[in-house]
Amino acid sequence: MISPAIRPYRPEDRDALYDICMRTGAAGGDARGVYRDQTLLPEIFAGPYAALEPDLAFVLDDGGRAVGYVLGTSDTARFAQDFREKWLPTVAARHPLPGGEPGTPDAVMTEFLHHPELMVNPALADYPAHLHIDLLPGYQGQGYGRTLLTTLFAALDKAGVARVHLVMSSANTGARAFYDRVGFHEISVPDPGELTFLGRSTAA
């Protein structure tokens, strides 16, 4: 039996990334029954990172396909601009803006897709990099998440990026406990709503 191993992202991993994103996209739970559009979340939180910053994309491979990933950017402000200029034109037609006030999960996320500048928060200026990490349930709690993160931290540190942040649902208490164990601390952000903002150094 082949042990799962971490490796750089490859373009053929795209479908697996999208699947993982949906299976873990509802505060860590399965989002496939929450969103009607099964490509919306991945085209915000997975696809653009793999396309725009593949050198900061790593997957956990079980010997047949990716079963987890960590994706990141070294510069959130630049990433938001690239998202608008390079990524959004490739996906916007599939996800048109809803009219009126967003009233469904799909509508809320579609608004976010079309306004990538929302990911730039002045309170996070000292943490210019950010990341997304997801593992299928069968691979959680075995140390793979920690190893994925340390792989990304090393790449960011090598690129000269000192700090990284992430944004998570405050309801995802299991993930919060994990992030605490791997050295993240909470960052005070005005009006965080239902989100928690965490940061840490990229140094080992």
Side-chain angles (χ1 to χ4, degrees):
M1 181 177 178
I2 299 175
S3 297
I6 292 168
R7 60 167 173 79
Y9 168 83
R10 298 193 290 251
E12 56 265 34
D13 297 320
R14 176 191 174 278
D15 288 350
L17 258 62
Y18 276 42
D19 182 57
I20 296 163
C21 185
M22 285 305 299
R23 289 174 184 263
T24 59
D30 197 328
R32 290 175 295 176
V34 178
Y35 296 92
R36 294 182 60 189
D37 185 337
Q38 299 298 296
T39 64
L40 178 57
L41 283 189
E43 292 189 337
I44 301 171
F45 299 115
Y49 296 86
L52 298 172
E53 297 207 41
D55 290 345
L56 295 176
F58 302 93
V59 303
L60 179 67
D61 188 328
D62 72 350
R65 61 173 288 166
V67 293
Y69 60 71
V70 65
L71 310 166
T73 176
S74 60
D75 185 329
T76 298
R78 187 201 67 236
F79 182 79
Q81 182 176 347
D82 288 345
F83 191 114
R84 174 164 293 286
E85 296 176 357
K86 300 175 182 179
W87 177 255
L88 187 56
T90 70
V91 300
R94 288 198 293 276
H95 312 290
L97 275 167
E101 286 293 317
T104 66
D106 286 74
V108 170
M109 284 300 166
T110 302
E111 288 279 353
F112 187 75
L113 170 74
H114 284 265
H115 298 93
E117 295 78 15
L118 291 171
M119 70 179 75
V120 182
N121 188 319
L124 303 171
D126 288 339
Y127 301 82
H130 76 260
L131 67 86
H132 296 283
I133 178 171
D134 288 300
L135 284 163
L136 292 179
Y139 296 86
Q140 296 174 13
Q142 301 176 53
Y144 297 124
R146 180 184 290 269
T147 307
L148 279 167
L149 285 175
T150 56
T151 301
L152 177 64
F153 295 158
L156 288 169
D157 186 51
K158 185 177 180 181
V161 183
R163 297 182 186 88
V164 61
H165 76 268
L166 61 86
V167 185
M168 59 170 287
S169 166
S170 300
N172 194 347
T173 55
R176 176 59 193 274
F178 165 70
Y179 294 131
D180 287 345
R181 289 195 299 272
V182 296
F184 280 89
H185 59 267
E186 189 162 343
I187 305 169
S188 178
V189 172
D191 302 317
E194 298 177 357
L195 301 174
T196 297
F197 296 79
L198 303 175
R200 61 154 283 169
S201 166
T202 59

